[in-house]
Amino acid sequence: MTTFFDAWHFDGQSAVRRKVEIQTIGSQFFLLEQERRHGPFHFDELRFLEAKGDSKVYGLSGKDGWRLGIRGHVPTELAPLLPASKTYGGLIDRLGLGKASFVFAGISAAVVAVVLLSPQWLAPLIPSSVEAKLGNALVGDFGGRFCDTPKGKAALAKLTRSLDDHPEDLQVEVANIDMLNAVALPGGKVLLFQGLLSQAKSPDEVAGVLAHEIGHVRERHVMQGLLRQMGLAVVLGGFDGSGGSTLNSLLSTTYTRDSEREADDHSLKALKQANISPVGAADFFNRLASMDGSRDLKDRQARTMASYTSSHPLSDERRKLFENAVVKGSAYKPALTADEWQELKTMCAQDKDVKSGWGFDIE
């Protein structure tokens, strides 16, 4: 049976829009234009392109620029032979926009969850030997900015031994950088910046900070942060030679608030085991609270909002945490003697060979 339908057509060879009739013969069709007949074409070669004005427009596989437009309502006899119209795409059109939105929202949530949570179970699977090589490749001697004097190193080693049962797994260094900070890096490396030592009022303050960074190492937060920041490819595939850029990214890595709280808990336990008073750490966070303004946040909602904008808990909250850990009447001992503390604080000033500043392109 042959049936004719009105349509318009571009042949892909010229810009002439032709008025044609569609002549269907089984699974094939011809396009009739006055005395000319184009075809045959196969319906299964058609693909829906768009709804344009009052027309539905179809293309033909392998024919660039070929167009067939059918105006108005598609006749009932022709509709089963044509490819289905698409509004958003195959899957969305089959499910409907509402259901598809829920499906894609669920997929998106799952992807986000994997990205956020995978470092927590991937990090323990990274061998310690790989992490150690990674740390050596990243840090090296920090561009000659590690301070080194015999008495200063001895004081630092004593402080580290008092806070950790396996200090041989750690490499704790003082970096000659005037910045109030300390960081934990892959391979058990912990850097105390000279700016921190300069600002600290007592070795007990430094002990609390050092124990916190050791907590990041022991809980494998360093690898979690690295995986989250830079991806598994960097850990397993090495570097492209841009060591300074890689280190820059690593030093800017932030941990989750849960990781920071775990590190604070580790610090409290280490201080307790070493019989070092938490008052020093509380004093340190009290000064930080005055600097970051968290001590002045009286409104509960404002404090909550502020805590969500930082990877760390509020400094004032951390002050309270360490203050509440103080056991009244305990015979705490200082983390270092006065002489040892002086040697540690002035180690960088005494080291005439140490370089100063970052030494890398770190922002």
Side-chain angles (χ1 to χ4, degrees):
M1 179 179 177
T2 301
T3 310
F4 298 90
F5 305 98
D6 291 333
W8 55 263
H9 170 57
F10 287 99
D11 62 8
Q13 303 298 317
S14 69
V16 178
R17 174 168 166 158
R18 308 171 188 275
K19 181 179 180 182
V20 296
E21 285 185 318
I22 302 174
Q23 179 188 17
T24 65
I25 303 176
S27 63
Q28 297 182 338
F29 66 94
F30 292 87
L31 299 179
L32 306 181
E33 179 193 3
Q34 296 178 349
E35 302 300 324
R36 297 180 62 187
R37 187 168 80 157
H38 306 272
F41 307 104
H42 293 270
F43 281 106
D44 59 6
E45 294 178 340
L46 287 177
R47 50 194 174 86
F48 178 80
L49 296 180
E50 62 178 333
K52 187 174 183 180
D54 62 347
S55 299
K56 290 187 177 179
V57 184
Y58 303 86
L60 191 70
S61 297
K63 292 277 188 178
D64 292 339
W66 193 100
R67 297 290 185 269
L68 176 64
I70 302 175
R71 293 190 186 92
H73 178 70
V74 177
T76 305
E77 302 93 329
L78 187 58
L81 302 173
L82 297 171
S85 301
K86 297 179 180 179
T87 304
Y88 303 100
L91 179 61
I92 296 178
D93 286 333
R94 287 197 296 272
L95 293 177
L97 181 59
K99 291 182 180 178
S101 298
F102 281 111
V103 170
F104 287 120
I107 293 174
S108 299
V111 170
V112 171
V114 169
V115 171
L116 292 177
L117 298 178
S118 60
Q120 297 182 19
W121 57 265
L122 278 176
L125 301 180
I126 304 296
S128 298
S129 58
V130 172
E131 185 176 351
K133 291 179 181 178
L134 182 61
N136 290 332
L138 276 172
V139 182
D141 66 351
F142 212 59
R145 281 148 182 89
F146 288 154
C147 304
D148 187 359
T149 63
K151 291 183 178 180
K153 293 288 282 189
L156 185 59
K158 175 184 175 181
L159 185 62
T160 304
R161 287 195 305 271
S162 68
L163 297 171
D164 192 82
D165 293 333
H166 298 283
E168 66 277 5
D169 298 337
L170 302 171
Q171 179 188 346
V172 182
E173 303 283 356
V174 174
N176 192 24
I177 296 173
D178 188 19
M179 184 177 183
L180 183 60
N181 202 359
V183 294
L185 299 173
K189 299 181 186 300
V190 177
L191 306 188
L192 301 176
F193 293 156
Q194 177 57 37
L196 171 69
L197 296 179
S198 298
Q199 293 293 323
K201 304 299 183 184
S202 71
D204 293 1
E205 293 187 12
V206 177
V209 175
L210 176 56
H212 174 95
E213 299 302 332
I214 293 175
H216 282 313
V217 172
R218 295 308 183 197
E219 299 295 337
R220 299 305 296 273
H221 296 157
V222 181
M223 289 307 301
Q224 290 177 26
L226 183 60
L227 289 168
R228 188 178 293 108
Q229 179 87 2
M230 304 172 66
L232 186 61
V234 173
V235 177
L236 299 183
F239 308 100
D240 59 2
S242 56
S245 175
T246 304
L247 183 58
N248 180 26
S249 298
L250 183 59
L251 289 177
S252 65
T253 297
T254 58
Y255 305 111
T256 64
R257 283 187 295 276
D258 287 342
S259 295
E260 293 295 348
R261 291 191 176 95
E262 286 182 1
D264 277 344
D265 289 341
H266 183 97
S267 178
L268 286 170
K269 292 176 182 177
L271 292 175
K272 181 178 181 180
Q273 181 174 328
N275 197 30
I276 297 173
S277 174
V279 170
D283 290 342
F284 175 76
F285 287 121
N286 185 49
R287 292 204 305 281
L288 284 185
S290 65
M291 296 168 61
D292 63 25
S294 61
R295 190 171 59 184
D296 299 324
L297 290 176
K298 304 301 181 183
D299 180 73
R300 181 179 180 182
Q301 184 177 7
R303 293 174 66 88
T304 301
M305 290 300 294
S307 67
Y308 274 99
T309 62
S310 171
S311 61
H312 287 72
L314 291 175
S315 298
D316 195 50
E317 292 179 0
R318 302 173 81 182
R319 171 190 64 80
K320 292 179 180 178
L321 177 69
F322 282 85
E323 279 185 351
N324 292 336
V326 176
V327 178
K328 294 182 178 180
S330 292
Y332 292 115
K333 64 178 183 180
L336 295 173
T337 66
D339 289 341
E340 290 168 336
W341 172 229
Q342 185 64 21
E343 291 293 338
L344 179 59
K345 279 196 79 164
T346 62
M347 180 164 57
C348 291
Q350 295 183 56
D351 186 351
K352 303 305 180 183
D353 297 324
V354 68
K355 294 182 180 179
S356 62
W358 284 108
F360 298 98
D361 183 19
I362 298 176
E363 298 176 355

